[in-house]
Amino acid sequence: MKALVTGSSSGIGKDIARELAKRGYDLVLVARNEEQLKKLAKELKEKNKIEVETIAMDLSKIENCKELHKKVQNVDILVNNAGFGDCGNFTKTSLDKEISMINTNIVAYHILMKLYLIDMKAKGSGKILNVASIAGFMPGPLMSTYYATKAYIVRISESIREELKKEKSNVQISILCPGPVSTNFNKVANVKFHMREANSMQVAKYAVKKMEQGKFYIVPGIDVKLAKIGAKLTPTPLISKITYMVQKRKIER
């Protein structure tokens, strides 16, 4: 059995790779940081006696995503995890950074999901885990682009799930929707979270366990589960006001 994990050089992706390795999956690790990938591969090989391939690649480039699919075949689990965020007023944040974010958080997910889903449906088995966020269920002023990218992942995953159901397919899709997690994401996004941050390894363990159980919405933590329910029940204008205040506090800390 083989799993492909993007964004696996740090954070949740790295810990999901560790968790899959414990379960005996051979791994293909993809990220831009080649040094960190090789370090992780050495760790996982020694601890778990599995095969690990590393591919240093920038998935914000469309052709790289297509090349990755050509290069890595017979994947049983795809973990779409590569991504980053940014914080600030929409008119003041970097356009180049936002375009790169859209390409990484949406376009790369879309391409890899589509290409590997075709393969999985053809062989009648496989799992896709899209790492989204609780942000995907609500508007996100001062992090507008990031929240929008995660909303895309939530909605397209929900739609594909229904298609697979109607086809009675054995292929499974899941979305991981954590709240703030203690990872390098915060540094890249230029924020400090006021809300309690979850432990990355605990989130990864929960995610892999629930994915293997066939769970679609994977929401770690009671506080995040309550936030998801609140986002569904609360009027959008009020959610926007609350989110704005929360994000503003991040910037000011």
Side-chain angles (χ1 to χ4, degrees), residues 34-82:
E34 186 173 14
E35 182 181 349
Q36 290 299 317
L37 285 179
K38 288 183 176 179
K39 184 178 177 181
L40 178 60
K42 184 173 184 294
E43 171 199 321
L44 297 180
K45 285 179 183 178
E46 290 176 353
K47 284 185 177 180
N48 304 283
K49 310 303 179 186
I50 58 170
E51 295 296 320
V52 184
E53 179 183 357
T54 63
I55 301 175
M57 181 177 282
D58 181 359
L59 293 179
S60 69
K61 301 182 187 305
I62 291 174
E63 289 308 314
N64 284 353
C65 297
K66 293 178 179 178
E67 184 59 32
L68 177 61
H69 174 256
K70 289 179 183 177
K71 187 172 183 177
V72 182
Q73 295 290 306
N74 299 316
V75 168
D76 299 290
I77 296 177
L78 166 65
V79 180
N80 262 326
N81 170 73

mmCIF file of all heavy atoms in Angstrom, residues 34-82:
data_model
loop_
_atom_site.group_PDB
_atom_site.id
_atom_site.type_symbol
_atom_site.label_atom_id
_atom_site.label_comp_id
_atom_site.label_asym_id
_atom_site.label_seq_id
_atom_site.Cartn_x
_atom_site.Cartn_y
_atom_site.Cartn_z
ATOM 1 N N GLU A 34 13.772 20.210 0.209
ATOM 2 C CA GLU A 34 14.392 18.904 -0.032
ATOM 3 C C GLU A 34 15.140 18.385 1.199
ATOM 4 O O GLU A 34 15.069 17.193 1.522
ATOM 5 C CB GLU A 34 15.355 18.994 -1.217
ATOM 6 C CG GLU A 34 15.944 17.659 -1.626
ATOM 7 C CD GLU A 34 16.759 17.735 -2.895
ATOM 8 O OE1 GLU A 34 17.095 18.868 -3.320
ATOM 9 O OE2 GLU A 34 17.062 16.677 -3.466
ATOM 10 N N GLU A 35 15.812 19.271 1.901
ATOM 11 C CA GLU A 35 16.585 18.862 3.076
ATOM 12 C C GLU A 35 15.690 18.265 4.157
ATOM 13 O O GLU A 35 15.993 17.215 4.735
ATOM 14 C CB GLU A 35 17.351 20.067 3.641
ATOM 15 C CG GLU A 35 18.220 19.727 4.844
ATOM 16 C CD GLU A 35 18.955 20.938 5.389
ATOM 17 O OE1 GLU A 35 18.970 21.992 4.725
ATOM 18 O OE2 GLU A 35 19.519 20.816 6.503
ATOM 19 N N GLN A 36 14.560 18.940 4.426
ATOM 20 C CA GLN A 36 13.633 18.438 5.435
ATOM 21 C C GLN A 36 12.961 17.134 5.008
ATOM 22 O O GLN A 36 12.707 16.248 5.833
ATOM 23 C CB GLN A 36 12.569 19.502 5.745
ATOM 24 C CG GLN A 36 13.089 20.705 6.494
ATOM 25 C CD GLN A 36 13.670 20.336 7.848
ATOM 26 O OE1 GLN A 36 13.104 19.532 8.581
ATOM 27 N NE2 GLN A 36 14.815 20.917 8.171
ATOM 28 N N LEU A 37 12.686 17.008 3.708
ATOM 29 C CA LEU A 37 12.097 15.763 3.197
ATOM 30 C C LEU A 37 13.040 14.586 3.404
ATOM 31 O O LEU A 37 12.628 13.510 3.857
ATOM 32 C CB LEU A 37 11.769 15.895 1.709
ATOM 33 C CG LEU A 37 10.555 16.723 1.309
ATOM 34 C CD1 LEU A 37 10.428 16.758 -0.197
ATOM 35 C CD2 LEU A 37 9.273 16.170 1.934
ATOM 36 N N LYS A 38 14.296 14.767 3.076
ATOM 37 C CA LYS A 38 15.280 13.682 3.214
ATOM 38 C C LYS A 38 15.483 13.304 4.675
ATOM 39 O O LYS A 38 15.649 12.124 5.009
ATOM 40 C CB LYS A 38 16.606 14.102 2.574
ATOM 41 C CG LYS A 38 16.551 14.139 1.056
ATOM 42 C CD LYS A 38 17.901 14.499 0.454
ATOM 43 C CE LYS A 38 17.841 14.432 -1.073
ATOM 44 N NZ LYS A 38 19.137 14.793 -1.681
ATOM 45 N N LYS A 39 15.461 14.301 5.546
ATOM 46 C CA LYS A 39 15.600 14.044 6.977
ATOM 47 C C LYS A 39 14.433 13.212 7.488
ATOM 48 O O LYS A 39 14.617 12.250 8.254
ATOM 49 C CB LYS A 39 15.670 15.382 7.723
ATOM 50 C CG LYS A 39 15.906 15.252 9.210
ATOM 51 C CD LYS A 39 16.000 16.626 9.851
ATOM 52 C CE LYS A 39 16.177 16.522 11.367
ATOM 53 N NZ LYS A 39 16.248 17.862 12.012
ATOM 54 N N LEU A 40 13.216 13.571 7.057
ATOM 55 C CA LEU A 40 12.032 12.822 7.461
ATOM 56 C C LEU A 40 12.056 11.415 6.877
ATOM 57 O O LEU A 40 11.720 10.442 7.569
ATOM 58 C CB LEU A 40 10.764 13.556 7.016
ATOM 59 C CG LEU A 40 9.433 12.868 7.324
ATOM 60 C CD1 LEU A 40 9.258 12.670 8.826
ATOM 61 C CD2 LEU A 40 8.260 13.658 6.753
ATOM 62 N N ALA A 41 12.449 11.285 5.617
ATOM 63 C CA ALA A 41 12.497 9.972 4.966
ATOM 64 C C ALA A 41 13.436 9.034 5.717
ATOM 65 O O ALA A 41 13.117 7.852 5.937
ATOM 66 C CB ALA A 41 12.942 10.125 3.517
ATOM 67 N N LYS A 42 14.583 9.532 6.136
ATOM 68 C CA LYS A 42 15.555 8.729 6.890
ATOM 69 C C LYS A 42 14.944 8.254 8.206
ATOM 70 O O LYS A 42 15.069 7.079 8.583
ATOM 71 C CB LYS A 42 16.814 9.558 7.159
ATOM 72 C CG LYS A 42 17.950 8.811 7.848
ATOM 73 C CD LYS A 42 19.193 9.688 7.911
ATOM 74 C CE LYS A 42 20.373 8.940 8.514
ATOM 75 N NZ LYS A 42 20.187 8.603 9.913
ATOM 76 N N GLU A 43 14.256 9.162 8.883
ATOM 77 C CA GLU A 43 13.600 8.817 10.154
ATOM 78 C C GLU A 43 12.564 7.717 9.965
ATOM 79 O O GLU A 43 12.527 6.732 10.721
ATOM 80 C CB GLU A 43 12.927 10.069 10.729
ATOM 81 C CG GLU A 43 12.025 9.812 11.925
ATOM 82 C CD GLU A 43 11.030 10.941 12.182
ATOM 83 O OE1 GLU A 43 11.399 12.122 12.026
ATOM 84 O OE2 GLU A 43 9.873 10.649 12.547
ATOM 85 N N LEU A 44 11.731 7.859 8.941
ATOM 86 C CA LEU A 44 10.629 6.918 8.744
ATOM 87 C C LEU A 44 11.119 5.553 8.276
ATOM 88 O O LEU A 44 10.569 4.516 8.677
ATOM 89 C CB LEU A 44 9.630 7.493 7.733
ATOM 90 C CG LEU A 44 8.946 8.795 8.161
ATOM 91 C CD1 LEU A 44 7.969 9.266 7.087
ATOM 92 C CD2 LEU A 44 8.235 8.638 9.493
ATOM 93 N N LYS A 45 12.139 5.543 7.455
ATOM 94 C CA LYS A 45 12.709 4.265 7.001
ATOM 95 C C LYS A 45 13.293 3.485 8.169
ATOM 96 O O LYS A 45 13.083 2.272 8.298
ATOM 97 C CB LYS A 45 13.800 4.526 5.961
ATOM 98 C CG LYS A 45 13.299 4.923 4.589
ATOM 99 C CD LYS A 45 14.486 5.185 3.668
ATOM 100 C CE LYS A 45 14.040 5.654 2.294
ATOM 101 N NZ LYS A 45 15.207 5.955 1.416
ATOM 102 N N GLU A 46 14.039 4.178 9.017
ATOM 103 C CA GLU A 46 14.709 3.507 10.132
ATOM 104 C C GLU A 46 13.712 2.999 11.171
ATOM 105 O O GLU A 46 13.861 1.896 11.705
ATOM 106 C CB GLU A 46 15.706 4.470 10.796
ATOM 107 C CG GLU A 46 16.914 4.782 9.922
ATOM 108 C CD GLU A 46 17.841 5.812 10.541
ATOM 109 O OE1 GLU A 46 17.483 6.386 11.593
ATOM 110 O OE2 GLU A 46 18.925 6.061 9.976
ATOM 111 N N LYS A 47 12.671 3.783 11.446
ATOM 112 C CA LYS A 47 11.711 3.418 12.482
ATOM 113 C C LYS A 47 10.696 2.381 12.027
ATOM 114 O O LYS A 47 10.244 1.541 12.812
ATOM 115 C CB LYS A 47 10.956 4.656 12.973
ATOM 116 C CG LYS A 47 11.760 5.557 13.889
ATOM 117 C CD LYS A 47 10.869 6.677 14.418
ATOM 118 C CE LYS A 47 11.630 7.553 15.400
ATOM 119 N NZ LYS A 47 10.770 8.649 15.927
ATOM 120 N N ASN A 48 10.310 2.434 10.754
ATOM 121 C CA ASN A 48 9.165 1.646 10.303
ATOM 122 C C ASN A 48 9.468 0.617 9.219
ATOM 123 O O ASN A 48 8.581 -0.125 8.826
ATOM 124 C CB ASN A 48 8.062 2.598 9.796
ATOM 125 C CG ASN A 48 7.655 3.616 10.844
ATOM 126 O OD1 ASN A 48 6.932 3.310 11.775
ATOM 127 N ND2 ASN A 48 8.138 4.847 10.691
ATOM 128 N N LYS A 49 10.713 0.600 8.734
ATOM 129 C CA LYS A 49 11.123 -0.370 7.713
ATOM 130 C C LYS A 49 10.204 -0.350 6.492
ATOM 131 O O LYS A 49 9.689 -1.370 6.029
ATOM 132 C CB LYS A 49 11.159 -1.791 8.295
ATOM 133 C CG LYS A 49 11.932 -1.919 9.594
ATOM 134 C CD LYS A 49 13.360 -1.444 9.456
ATOM 135 C CE LYS A 49 14.107 -1.569 10.790
ATOM 136 N NZ LYS A 49 15.460 -0.975 10.728
ATOM 137 N N ILE A 50 9.966 0.858 5.978
ATOM 138 C CA ILE A 50 9.114 1.036 4.807
ATOM 139 C C ILE A 50 9.915 1.694 3.688
ATOM 140 O O ILE A 50 11.029 2.186 3.905
ATOM 141 C CB ILE A 50 7.887 1.917 5.133
ATOM 142 C CG1 ILE A 50 8.344 3.295 5.652
ATOM 143 C CG2 ILE A 50 6.973 1.221 6.128
ATOM 144 C CD1 ILE A 50 7.252 4.319 5.772
ATOM 145 N N GLU A 51 9.335 1.717 2.506
ATOM 146 C CA GLU A 51 9.943 2.426 1.380
ATOM 147 C C GLU A 51 9.467 3.881 1.395
ATOM 148 O O GLU A 51 8.269 4.139 1.548
ATOM 149 C CB GLU A 51 9.557 1.776 0.060
ATOM 150 C CG GLU A 51 10.102 0.360 -0.120
ATOM 151 C CD GLU A 51 11.623 0.349 -0.177
ATOM 152 O OE1 GLU A 51 12.203 1.259 -0.812
ATOM 153 O OE2 GLU A 51 12.216 -0.567 0.426
ATOM 154 N N VAL A 52 10.393 4.808 1.242
ATOM 155 C CA VAL A 52 10.042 6.229 1.227
ATOM 156 C C VAL A 52 10.756 6.918 0.062
ATOM 157 O O VAL A 52 11.979 6.868 -0.048
ATOM 158 C CB VAL A 52 10.434 6.940 2.537
ATOM 159 C CG1 VAL A 52 9.961 8.397 2.508
ATOM 160 C CG2 VAL A 52 9.837 6.226 3.748
ATOM 161 N N GLU A 53 9.963 7.552 -0.788
ATOM 162 C CA GLU A 53 10.504 8.343 -1.896
ATOM 163 C C GLU A 53 10.243 9.816 -1.612
ATOM 164 O O GLU A 53 9.181 10.185 -1.118
ATOM 165 C CB GLU A 53 9.822 7.949 -3.208
ATOM 166 C CG GLU A 53 10.315 8.735 -4.422
ATOM 167 C CD GLU A 53 9.575 8.380 -5.698
ATOM 168 O OE1 GLU A 53 8.712 7.477 -5.660
ATOM 169 O OE2 GLU A 53 9.858 9.026 -6.730
ATOM 170 N N THR A 54 11.227 10.661 -1.897
ATOM 171 C CA THR A 54 11.047 12.099 -1.699
ATOM 172 C C THR A 54 11.095 12.820 -3.039
ATOM 173 O O THR A 54 11.907 12.479 -3.906
ATOM 174 C CB THR A 54 12.121 12.682 -0.764
ATOM 175 O OG1 THR A 54 13.412 12.523 -1.359
ATOM 176 C CG2 THR A 54 12.090 12.013 0.594
ATOM 177 N N ILE A 55 10.232 13.812 -3.189
ATOM 178 C CA ILE A 55 10.199 14.621 -4.410
ATOM 179 C C ILE A 55 10.122 16.091 -4.000
ATOM 180 O O ILE A 55 9.120 16.539 -3.445
ATOM 181 C CB ILE A 55 8.993 14.260 -5.299
ATOM 182 C CG1 ILE A 55 9.043 12.786 -5.700
ATOM 183 C CG2 ILE A 55 8.958 15.157 -6.533
ATOM 184 C CD1 ILE A 55 7.833 12.313 -6.475
ATOM 185 N N ALA A 56 11.203 16.815 -4.247
ATOM 186 C CA ALA A 56 11.223 18.248 -3.962
ATOM 187 C C ALA A 56 10.587 18.980 -5.139
ATOM 188 O O ALA A 56 11.114 18.960 -6.250
ATOM 189 C CB ALA A 56 12.656 18.721 -3.745
ATOM 190 N N MET A 57 9.434 19.609 -4.886
ATOM 191 C CA MET A 57 8.659 20.178 -5.990
ATOM 192 C C MET A 57 7.769 21.310 -5.499
ATOM 193 O O MET A 57 7.208 21.244 -4.408
ATOM 194 C CB MET A 57 7.813 19.066 -6.624
ATOM 195 C CG MET A 57 6.962 19.463 -7.789
ATOM 196 S SD MET A 57 6.087 18.015 -8.492
ATOM 197 C CE MET A 57 7.406 17.237 -9.451
ATOM 198 N N ASP A 58 7.641 22.346 -6.305
ATOM 199 C CA ASP A 58 6.752 23.471 -6.021
ATOM 200 C C ASP A 58 5.405 23.205 -6.682
ATOM 201 O O ASP A 58 5.271 23.295 -7.902
ATOM 202 C CB ASP A 58 7.371 24.769 -6.555
ATOM 203 C CG ASP A 58 6.511 25.993 -6.272
ATOM 204 O OD1 ASP A 58 5.427 25.836 -5.671
ATOM 205 O OD2 ASP A 58 6.914 27.107 -6.668
ATOM 206 N N LEU A 59 4.401 22.892 -5.881
ATOM 207 C CA LEU A 59 3.093 22.523 -6.429
ATOM 208 C C LEU A 59 2.224 23.722 -6.785
ATOM 209 O O LEU A 59 1.086 23.543 -7.210
ATOM 210 C CB LEU A 59 2.353 21.621 -5.434
ATOM 211 C CG LEU A 59 2.982 20.245 -5.214
ATOM 212 C CD1 LEU A 59 2.187 19.447 -4.202
ATOM 213 C CD2 LEU A 59 3.106 19.467 -6.527
ATOM 214 N N SER A 60 2.757 24.936 -6.631
ATOM 215 C CA SER A 60 2.016 26.103 -7.113
ATOM 216 C C SER A 60 2.096 26.204 -8.632
ATOM 217 O O SER A 60 1.391 27.010 -9.241
ATOM 218 C CB SER A 60 2.545 27.387 -6.465
ATOM 219 O OG SER A 60 3.844 27.692 -6.936
ATOM 220 N N LYS A 61 2.935 25.377 -9.251
ATOM 221 C CA LYS A 61 3.090 25.358 -10.704
ATOM 222 C C LYS A 61 2.284 24.195 -11.283
ATOM 223 O O LYS A 61 2.490 23.030 -10.908
ATOM 224 C CB LYS A 61 4.567 25.239 -11.079
ATOM 225 C CG LYS A 61 5.419 26.381 -10.522
ATOM 226 C CD LYS A 61 6.857 26.263 -10.944
ATOM 227 C CE LYS A 61 7.728 27.310 -10.256
ATOM 228 N NZ LYS A 61 7.255 28.683 -10.446
ATOM 229 N N ILE A 62 1.389 24.505 -12.196
ATOM 230 C CA ILE A 62 0.472 23.521 -12.760
ATOM 231 C C ILE A 62 1.196 22.340 -13.380
ATOM 232 O O ILE A 62 0.833 21.176 -13.159
ATOM 233 C CB ILE A 62 -0.459 24.187 -13.798
ATOM 234 C CG1 ILE A 62 -1.443 25.132 -13.097
ATOM 235 C CG2 ILE A 62 -1.216 23.141 -14.615
ATOM 236 C CD1 ILE A 62 -2.315 25.940 -14.037
ATOM 237 N N GLU A 63 2.234 22.614 -14.154
ATOM 238 C CA GLU A 63 2.942 21.537 -14.838
ATOM 239 C C GLU A 63 3.603 20.580 -13.853
ATOM 240 O O GLU A 63 3.736 19.383 -14.139
ATOM 241 C CB GLU A 63 3.987 22.109 -15.821
ATOM 242 C CG GLU A 63 3.368 22.762 -17.034
ATOM 243 C CD GLU A 63 2.354 21.860 -17.743
ATOM 244 O OE1 GLU A 63 2.668 20.660 -17.957
ATOM 245 O OE2 GLU A 63 1.248 22.335 -18.068
ATOM 246 N N ASN A 64 4.028 21.104 -12.706
ATOM 247 C CA ASN A 64 4.625 20.234 -11.687
ATOM 248 C C ASN A 64 3.600 19.252 -11.132
ATOM 249 O O ASN A 64 3.915 18.092 -10.859
ATOM 250 C CB ASN A 64 5.213 21.065 -10.552
ATOM 251 C CG ASN A 64 6.527 21.716 -10.922
ATOM 252 O OD1 ASN A 64 7.089 21.452 -11.982
ATOM 253 N ND2 ASN A 64 7.027 22.581 -10.057
ATOM 254 N N CYS A 65 2.369 19.717 -10.948
ATOM 255 C CA CYS A 65 1.301 18.836 -10.457
ATOM 256 C C CYS A 65 1.038 17.703 -11.447
ATOM 257 O O CYS A 65 0.899 16.535 -11.056
ATOM 258 C CB CYS A 65 0.022 19.633 -10.222
ATOM 259 S SG CYS A 65 0.157 20.902 -8.964
ATOM 260 N N LYS A 66 0.977 18.046 -12.719
ATOM 261 C CA LYS A 66 0.749 17.022 -13.743
ATOM 262 C C LYS A 66 1.930 16.058 -13.829
ATOM 263 O O LYS A 66 1.744 14.845 -14.000
ATOM 264 C CB LYS A 66 0.510 17.695 -15.098
ATOM 265 C CG LYS A 66 -0.774 18.497 -15.166
ATOM 266 C CD LYS A 66 -0.919 19.164 -16.528
ATOM 267 C CE LYS A 66 -2.214 19.966 -16.623
ATOM 268 N NZ LYS A 66 -2.343 20.659 -17.929
ATOM 269 N N GLU A 67 3.138 16.599 -13.698
ATOM 270 C CA GLU A 67 4.342 15.765 -13.739
ATOM 271 C C GLU A 67 4.397 14.817 -12.553
ATOM 272 O O GLU A 67 4.814 13.664 -12.681
ATOM 273 C CB GLU A 67 5.591 16.658 -13.748
ATOM 274 C CG GLU A 67 6.908 15.908 -13.877
ATOM 275 C CD GLU A 67 7.013 15.075 -15.150
ATOM 276 O OE1 GLU A 67 6.435 15.480 -16.181
ATOM 277 O OE2 GLU A 67 7.658 14.018 -15.101
ATOM 278 N N LEU A 68 3.963 15.296 -11.390
ATOM 279 C CA LEU A 68 3.936 14.447 -10.199
ATOM 280 C C LEU A 68 3.027 13.245 -10.418
ATOM 281 O O LEU A 68 3.380 12.111 -10.067
ATOM 282 C CB LEU A 68 3.456 15.264 -8.989
ATOM 283 C CG LEU A 68 3.307 14.503 -7.669
ATOM 284 C CD1 LEU A 68 4.648 13.931 -7.218
ATOM 285 C CD2 LEU A 68 2.730 15.422 -6.586
ATOM 286 N N HIS A 69 1.864 13.483 -11.015
ATOM 287 C CA HIS A 69 0.942 12.374 -11.273
ATOM 288 C C HIS A 69 1.538 11.370 -12.244
ATOM 289 O O HIS A 69 1.378 10.151 -12.082
ATOM 290 C CB HIS A 69 -0.389 12.904 -11.822
ATOM 291 C CG HIS A 69 -1.320 11.819 -12.248
ATOM 292 N ND1 HIS A 69 -1.543 11.498 -13.580
ATOM 293 C CD2 HIS A 69 -2.078 10.939 -11.523
ATOM 294 C CE1 HIS A 69 -2.398 10.505 -13.653
ATOM 295 N NE2 HIS A 69 -2.736 10.144 -12.427
ATOM 296 N N LYS A 70 2.228 11.841 -13.255
ATOM 297 C CA LYS A 70 2.869 10.937 -14.218
ATOM 298 C C LYS A 70 3.957 10.106 -13.549
ATOM 299 O O LYS A 70 4.146 8.924 -13.845
ATOM 300 C CB LYS A 70 3.474 11.734 -15.369
ATOM 301 C CG LYS A 70 2.459 12.344 -16.318
ATOM 302 C CD LYS A 70 3.165 13.133 -17.404
ATOM 303 C CE LYS A 70 2.163 13.824 -18.325
ATOM 304 N NZ LYS A 70 2.843 14.660 -19.341
ATOM 305 N N LYS A 71 4.657 10.742 -12.625
ATOM 306 C CA LYS A 71 5.810 10.095 -11.984
ATOM 307 C C LYS A 71 5.392 9.101 -10.913
ATOM 308 O O LYS A 71 6.037 8.064 -10.727
ATOM 309 C CB LYS A 71 6.710 11.166 -11.357
ATOM 310 C CG LYS A 71 8.018 10.642 -10.799
ATOM 311 C CD LYS A 71 8.929 11.786 -10.383
ATOM 312 C CE LYS A 71 10.275 11.259 -9.901
ATOM 313 N NZ LYS A 71 11.212 12.342 -9.550
ATOM 314 N N VAL A 72 4.330 9.410 -10.179
ATOM 315 C CA VAL A 72 3.915 8.573 -9.049
ATOM 316 C C VAL A 72 2.587 7.903 -9.376
ATOM 317 O O VAL A 72 1.545 8.548 -9.411
ATOM 318 C CB VAL A 72 3.785 9.406 -7.753
ATOM 319 C CG1 VAL A 72 3.397 8.496 -6.593
ATOM 320 C CG2 VAL A 72 5.076 10.148 -7.457
ATOM 321 N N GLN A 73 2.627 6.595 -9.588
ATOM 322 C CA GLN A 73 1.436 5.833 -9.942
ATOM 323 C C GLN A 73 1.087 4.844 -8.828
ATOM 324 O O GLN A 73 1.824 4.669 -7.873
ATOM 325 C CB GLN A 73 1.679 5.089 -11.252
ATOM 326 C CG GLN A 73 1.867 6.007 -12.456
ATOM 327 C CD GLN A 73 0.584 6.710 -12.865
ATOM 328 O OE1 GLN A 73 -0.438 6.074 -13.102
ATOM 329 N NE2 GLN A 73 0.641 8.030 -12.938
ATOM 330 N N ASN A 74 -0.076 4.197 -8.969
ATOM 331 C CA ASN A 74 -0.531 3.168 -8.029
ATOM 332 C C ASN A 74 -0.595 3.680 -6.584
ATOM 333 O O ASN A 74 -0.091 3.052 -5.651
ATOM 334 C CB ASN A 74 0.368 1.929 -8.107
ATOM 335 C CG ASN A 74 0.361 1.300 -9.484
ATOM 336 O OD1 ASN A 74 -0.693 1.147 -10.101
ATOM 337 N ND2 ASN A 74 1.546 0.966 -9.987
ATOM 338 N N VAL A 75 -1.220 4.835 -6.425
ATOM 339 C CA VAL A 75 -1.370 5.443 -5.105
ATOM 340 C C VAL A 75 -2.673 4.968 -4.461
ATOM 341 O O VAL A 75 -3.735 5.019 -5.075
ATOM 342 C CB VAL A 75 -1.360 6.988 -5.224
ATOM 343 C CG1 VAL A 75 -1.807 7.649 -3.930
ATOM 344 C CG2 VAL A 75 0.035 7.476 -5.623
ATOM 345 N N ASP A 76 -2.584 4.503 -3.223
ATOM 346 C CA ASP A 76 -3.762 4.042 -2.489
ATOM 347 C C ASP A 76 -4.376 5.152 -1.645
ATOM 348 O O ASP A 76 -5.581 5.174 -1.413
ATOM 349 C CB ASP A 76 -3.390 2.868 -1.585
ATOM 350 C CG ASP A 76 -2.862 1.685 -2.389
ATOM 351 O OD1 ASP A 76 -3.665 1.057 -3.105
ATOM 352 O OD2 ASP A 76 -1.644 1.418 -2.322
ATOM 353 N N ILE A 77 -3.531 6.067 -1.163
ATOM 354 C CA ILE A 77 -4.007 7.214 -0.387
ATOM 355 C C ILE A 77 -3.326 8.479 -0.903
ATOM 356 O O ILE A 77 -2.105 8.526 -1.022
ATOM 357 C CB ILE A 77 -3.700 7.067 1.113
ATOM 358 C CG1 ILE A 77 -4.452 5.884 1.711
ATOM 359 C CG2 ILE A 77 -4.065 8.343 1.874
ATOM 360 C CD1 ILE A 77 -4.140 5.635 3.182
ATOM 361 N N LEU A 78 -4.134 9.482 -1.220
ATOM 362 C CA LEU A 78 -3.622 10.808 -1.555
ATOM 363 C C LEU A 78 -3.967 11.737 -0.405
ATOM 364 O O LEU A 78 -5.137 11.887 -0.057
ATOM 365 C CB LEU A 78 -4.245 11.329 -2.855
ATOM 366 C CG LEU A 78 -4.044 12.833 -3.137
ATOM 367 C CD1 LEU A 78 -2.565 13.165 -3.366
ATOM 368 C CD2 LEU A 78 -4.893 13.284 -4.327
ATOM 369 N N VAL A 79 -2.956 12.367 0.172
ATOM 370 C CA VAL A 79 -3.171 13.390 1.190
ATOM 371 C C VAL A 79 -2.796 14.738 0.596
ATOM 372 O O VAL A 79 -1.626 15.047 0.405
ATOM 373 C CB VAL A 79 -2.351 13.121 2.471
ATOM 374 C CG1 VAL A 79 -2.610 14.222 3.501
ATOM 375 C CG2 VAL A 79 -2.682 11.758 3.053
ATOM 376 N N ASN A 80 -3.815 15.520 0.266
ATOM 377 C CA ASN A 80 -3.610 16.876 -0.241
ATOM 378 C C ASN A 80 -3.446 17.805 0.953
ATOM 379 O O ASN A 80 -4.427 18.137 1.627
ATOM 380 C CB ASN A 80 -4.836 17.318 -1.062
ATOM 381 C CG ASN A 80 -4.652 17.137 -2.549
ATOM 382 O OD1 ASN A 80 -3.557 17.282 -3.076
ATOM 383 N ND2 ASN A 80 -5.724 16.820 -3.234
ATOM 384 N N ASN A 81 -2.223 18.232 1.221
ATOM 385 C CA ASN A 81 -1.973 19.017 2.418
ATOM 386 C C ASN A 81 -1.190 20.304 2.166
ATOM 387 O O ASN A 81 -1.260 21.239 2.967
ATOM 388 C CB ASN A 81 -1.223 18.155 3.447
ATOM 389 C CG ASN A 81 -0.712 18.966 4.614
ATOM 390 O OD1 ASN A 81 -1.485 19.396 5.473
ATOM 391 N ND2 ASN A 81 0.600 19.201 4.651
ATOM 392 N N ALA A 82 -0.456 20.374 1.059
ATOM 393 C CA ALA A 82 0.375 21.556 0.810
ATOM 394 C C ALA A 82 -0.477 22.823 0.820
ATOM 395 O O ALA A 82 -1.557 22.857 0.235
ATOM 396 C CB ALA A 82 1.086 21.414 -0.538
#
